[in-house]
Structure formats: structure tokens, C-alpha cells
């Protein structure tokens, strides 16, 4: 991210290091496999959270109307400009973090030491299955990289942002897990869908549970809004490179944002959101982002081996040589082995379909070049 500073994120890294074809696969995997499916999964959690207060949103039609209103609002915010969108996301982030910090601060004194005792370790299979779903909660930082071309001083900002953001998330998640386990103990299995709400309920009563559910809804809204800000930039970059339809590369005459890419992306989220539930979408999205991470790590190795005129001092270089990239590859392969057969098959079919799309588009470009006698964008 500090070496390749143009917009496009994972696609830009892979395309620069490994070539057009791998970049094409990563772009489509990110757009559909992670971005659209991931946001569709998260916005379903939003609906589930507020359905506790308004059960009508458990029904298909009101749920679809809710999705359309939410996504419409996100589209308007993001078309008006990156600065306004980022400011709104900062506000949402503060709101969603406050209840989580409150759980940690006020929940510590309710922890029972006996509840933190492990009677036995989980099996490797159980641990792998859980890690695959949990991975969905840790992914997402790479979405911001899609707008790298609009980040001020990206060579410095991107590495620091990823590092400090990752540390903060790790500390918050570990703290929440300790408090939840310490307060609920064996009861935690009875509240799988909303354990934090139950912790808040036991600490301050029903009001606390309601605040946590509202916080969860706000968090999901913020995540989806952030994705609608960043991921269309991937469509925009891909359209300019000839990987997506050309109209997605157009910029709004007044706000200078890729408005058609934003609208198209939000429409795709809506379609998948009304047609699937959280768990299925989350697992498939995790599989897609793991493949993207694998491609980015391979691109990192390739860029390390490549000799160029750019001094190492001008961009961030992680210490340890190839040790950390190799650990990353091993972790990704292990997580992918936790996929069920139908999930593996779905992922393979999707990747094969992307390859066919690439071949069709390459053939179409050759025909256009033959007709007009010059390369087409």
C-alpha cells in the first residue's frame, strides 16, 4: 500500500505485480465475493437487530423497503464527496464504539473467575470452523485501500493506519471476549445470537440490552456505508483498465465522484441482501477475501524479488524477510480447509466463471481493436 499508491487496493497490488489476468480475478472476487456478499450479510444483521424493536422487519417486503431506504441514503452521501462520507463514518465509528467500551469498563467488576476456566480445548475441526466465521469480523481494513489514490500522504498513512487500526480492533475484541465469558460463563451458549446484549442486560438491565442492539445496528450501518464509499472505487479503477463496463468509469460533473459505480454497487448489495441470510453470505465472503489475501501476499513476494529504481527507504517494508508472508500463506490455506464441500464448489464455480468472463472480454477487445485499428481502453 505504501509502494503502489493509486486507487484500486488489492486489485492494483496484484495487477502491478502479477499481471492483468490475476488482477482481473481479484477485482471480481473483491467486487462480488467480498464487497457485495459481505455488505449484504452485514445489512441483514442490521435488520435482525432492529427487528427486536420492530418485528415487522422480519417480513420480506418491509425488510426490502428498509434495505432500499438505507442503501439510497448511503448512495447520496457517497456521491456528494469523499470528505463528507469520511466525516460521517467517523461520527458513526464513535457512536458504535462507545457501547463496546462501556461493556468492557463496567463489565470487568462482574467477571467471575470460575467462568474463565477452560475445561477442555476445542477440536482442530471445531476451532477451524469457528475461525472461518470469526475471520469475517476481522476483515475489512483492506476496503479503505480501494480509495488509496485519494488518501493524503498514503506512503505513510496506509501502513500506520493498518497497524494502529489492527491493534485497536484486537484489543477491543479480546477485552469483549474476556468480559462476555467472565460474566456469562456456560450460559454464553444460550445467547449465541446476541451475547453482548445479554451481558449488558445482566450489568444494567433491559436498557443496556437495548443500547447494545442499537449499537450493533449502527455498527452494521457504518460498515456498509464505508463499503459503499470504498468498493465502488475498485469498480471505477477496473472500468478505466477495461475490466468492467466503461460507464462505471464516469465521474460526476459536480462532485467528481464515480457516481454510476456507487449506484451500481449499492444495487448489487440490495439484490443479495434480500435473497440471503447472514451466515451463508458471511462464509462465502470470507472464502473470497482469503483468496484475495493470498493473491496480495504472492504479489508482495513478487515485488520483494523485483528489482526496481524505487529505494526501499521510500516505502514501508515489513521486517523478517519472507517469514511473515509464508506464515500468512499457511494460515490462509488452513482456514480454507474449513470450508464445506458446497462452499468449496461454489467458490471454484465462481472463479471459473470469472475466467470465462475474462476470456470473453479479451476476445471482444481483440475484435474491437481489429475493427478500429487501435487498442481499446
Amino acid at each position: 500500500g505504501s509502494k503502489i499508491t493509486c486507487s484500486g487496493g488489492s486489485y492494483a497490488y496484484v495487477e502491478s505485480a502479477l499481471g492483468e489476468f490475476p488482477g482481473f480475478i481479484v477485482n471480481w472476487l473483491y467486487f462480488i465475493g467480498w464487497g457485495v456478499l459481505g455488505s449484504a450479510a452485514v445489512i441483514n444483521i442490521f435488520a435482525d437487530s432492529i427487528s427486536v424493536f420492530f418485528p415487522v422487519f422480519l417480513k420480506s417486503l418491509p425488510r426490502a423497503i428498509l434495505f432500499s431506504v438505507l442503501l439510497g441514503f448511503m448512495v447520496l452521501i457517497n456521491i456528494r464527496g469523499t470528505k463528507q462520507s469520511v466525516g460521517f463514518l467517523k461520527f458513526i465509528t464513535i457512536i458504535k464504539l462507545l457501547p463496546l467500551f462501556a461493556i468492557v469498563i463496567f463489565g470487568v467488576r462482574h467477571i467471575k473467575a470460575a467462568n474463565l476456566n477452560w475445561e477442555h480445548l476445542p477440536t482442530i475441526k471445531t476451532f477451524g470452523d469457528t475461525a472461518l466465521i470469526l475471520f469475517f469480523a476481522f476483515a475489512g481494513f483492506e476496503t479503505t485501500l480501494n480509495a488509496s489514490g485519494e488518501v493524503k500522504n498514503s506512503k505513510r498513512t496506509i501502513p500506520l493506519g493498518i497497524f494502529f487500526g489492527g491493534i485497536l480492533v484486537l484489543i477491543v475484541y479480546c477485552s469483549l471476549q474476556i468480559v462476555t465469558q467472565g460474566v456469562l460463563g456456560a450460559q454464553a451458549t444460550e445467547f449465541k445470537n446476541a451475547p453482548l446484549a445479554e451481558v449488558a442486560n445482566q450489568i444494567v438491565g433491559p436498557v443496556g440490552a437495548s443500547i447494545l442492539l442499537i449499537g450493533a445496528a449502527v455498527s452494521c450501518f457504518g460498515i456498509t456505508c464505508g463499503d459503499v464509499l470504498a468498493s465502488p472505487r475498485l469498480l471505477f479503477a477496473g472500468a478505466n483498465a477495461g475490466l468492467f463496463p466503461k460507464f462505471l468509469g464516469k465521474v460526476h460533473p459536480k462532485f467528481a465522484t464515480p457516481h454510476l459505480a456507487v449506484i451500481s454497487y449499492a444495487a448489487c448489495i440490495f439484490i443479495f441482501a434480500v435473497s440471503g441470510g447472514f451466515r451463508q453470505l458471511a462464509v462465502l465472503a470470507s472464502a473470497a477475501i482469503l483468496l484475495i489475501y493470498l493473491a496480495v501476499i504472492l504479489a508482495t513476494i513478487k515485488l520483494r524479488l523485483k528489482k526496481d529504481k524505487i529505494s526501499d527507504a521510500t516505502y514501508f517494508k515489513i521486517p523478517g524477510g519472507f517469514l511473515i508472508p509464508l506464515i500468512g500463506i499457511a494460515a490462509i490455506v488452513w482456514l480454507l480447509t474449513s470450508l464445506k464441500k458446497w462452499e468449496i464448489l461454489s467458490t471454484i464455480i465462481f472463479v471459473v466463471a470469472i475466467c470465462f468472463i475474462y476470456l470473453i472480454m479479451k476476445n471482444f477487445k481483440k475484435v474491437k481493436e481489429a475493427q478500429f485499428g487501435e487498442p481499446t481502453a
Side-chain angles (χ1 to χ4, degrees), residues 8-352:
S10 303
Y11 154 69
Y13 309 152
V14 174
E15 197 272 341
S16 296
L18 303 178
E20 183 184 84
F21 181 50
F24 184 89
I25 293 176
V26 163
N27 209 336
W28 277 86
L29 268 176
Y30 198 102
F31 167 52
I32 296 290
W34 171 248
V36 172
L37 292 184
S39 287
V42 169
I43 205 170
N44 268 286
I45 301 178
F46 177 93
D48 291 340
S49 297
I50 67 168
S51 66
V52 174
F53 306 108
F54 307 102
V56 67
F57 291 119
L58 290 172
K59 298 179 180 179
S60 298
L61 182 58
R63 200 178 182 93
I65 295 172
L66 175 66
F67 291 157
S68 64
V69 171
L70 288 174
L71 290 167
F73 177 73
M74 295 175 194
V75 165
L76 289 176
I77 289 242
N78 285 301
I79 286 178
R80 289 189 63 84
T82 305
K83 185 177 180 180
Q84 291 85 346
S85 302
V86 171
F88 179 72
L89 288 175
K90 287 179 180 177
F91 174 71
I92 290 291
T93 300
I94 292 171
I95 291 179
K96 74 180 183 182
L97 285 177
L98 286 177
L100 299 182
F101 288 143
I103 282 279
V104 174
I105 293 169
F106 297 109
V108 169
R109 60 191 179 91
H110 293 270
I111 293 176
K112 298 176 183 176
N115 289 338
L116 298 176
N117 180 49
W118 284 19
E119 295 181 2
H120 59 83
L121 292 174
T123 64
I124 294 296
K125 184 181 183 306
T126 302
F127 182 62
D129 292 343
T130 305
L132 186 63
I133 287 290
L134 186 63
F135 181 81
F136 182 82
F138 280 92
F141 65 88
E142 70 291 323
T143 304
T144 310
L145 300 176
N146 295 336
S148 294
E150 301 171 60
V151 175
K152 188 181 295 185
N153 192 14
S154 56
K155 290 183 178 181
R156 181 177 183 275
T157 303
I158 287 174
L160 288 176
I162 291 176
F163 178 76
F164 287 113
I167 291 295
L168 175 62
V169 168
L170 185 63
I171 292 172
V172 171
Y173 279 6
C174 288
S175 302
L176 288 170
Q177 176 63 31
I178 292 170
V179 170
T180 302
Q181 186 67 37
V183 173
L184 298 182
Q187 283 186 303
T189 56
E190 301 174 17
F191 305 99
K192 290 181 179 179
N193 292 331
L196 292 182
E198 179 56 28
V199 172
N201 182 49
Q202 293 197 18
I203 294 174
V204 296
V207 173
S210 298
I211 291 173
L212 254 294
L213 286 169
I214 293 170
V218 171
S219 177
C220 293
F221 179 81
I223 292 169
T224 309
C225 194
D227 187 44
V228 174
L229 162 67
S231 289
R233 269 66 181 177
L234 192 67
L235 284 179
F236 174 75
N240 287 329
L243 303 181
F244 290 122
K246 201 170 182 179
F247 76 92
L248 295 174
K250 291 186 177 181
V251 174
H252 195 282
K254 181 179 179 181
F255 302 114
T257 53
H259 60 299
L260 295 181
V262 172
I263 294 170
S264 301
Y265 187 76
C268 290
I269 293 175
F270 175 80
I271 292 170
F272 280 95
V274 297
S275 60
F278 167 73
R279 186 178 178 84
Q280 296 83 359
L281 292 170
V283 169
L284 292 174
S286 292
I289 197 64
L290 282 168
L291 292 175
I292 293 169
Y293 283 179
L294 179 60
V296 171
I297 292 174
L298 294 175
T300 301
I301 294 173
K302 177 71 179 291
L303 288 173
R304 283 284 188 93
L305 295 173
K306 183 180 178 182
K307 301 296 181 182
D308 54 32
K309 296 179 181 179
I310 302 176
S311 170
D312 287 356
T314 62
Y315 60 89
F316 176 78
K317 189 174 183 179
I318 198 166
F322 293 109
L323 178 62
I324 292 179
L326 291 176
I327 291 173
I329 291 172
I332 288 170
V333 171
W334 171 68
L335 282 169
L336 288 173
T337 60
S338 299
L339 290 170
K340 294 181 174 59
K341 289 182 179 179
W342 75 268
E343 294 163 350
I344 294 174
L345 183 61
S346 299
T347 304
I348 291 173
I349 290 173
F350 183 56
V351 173
V352 170

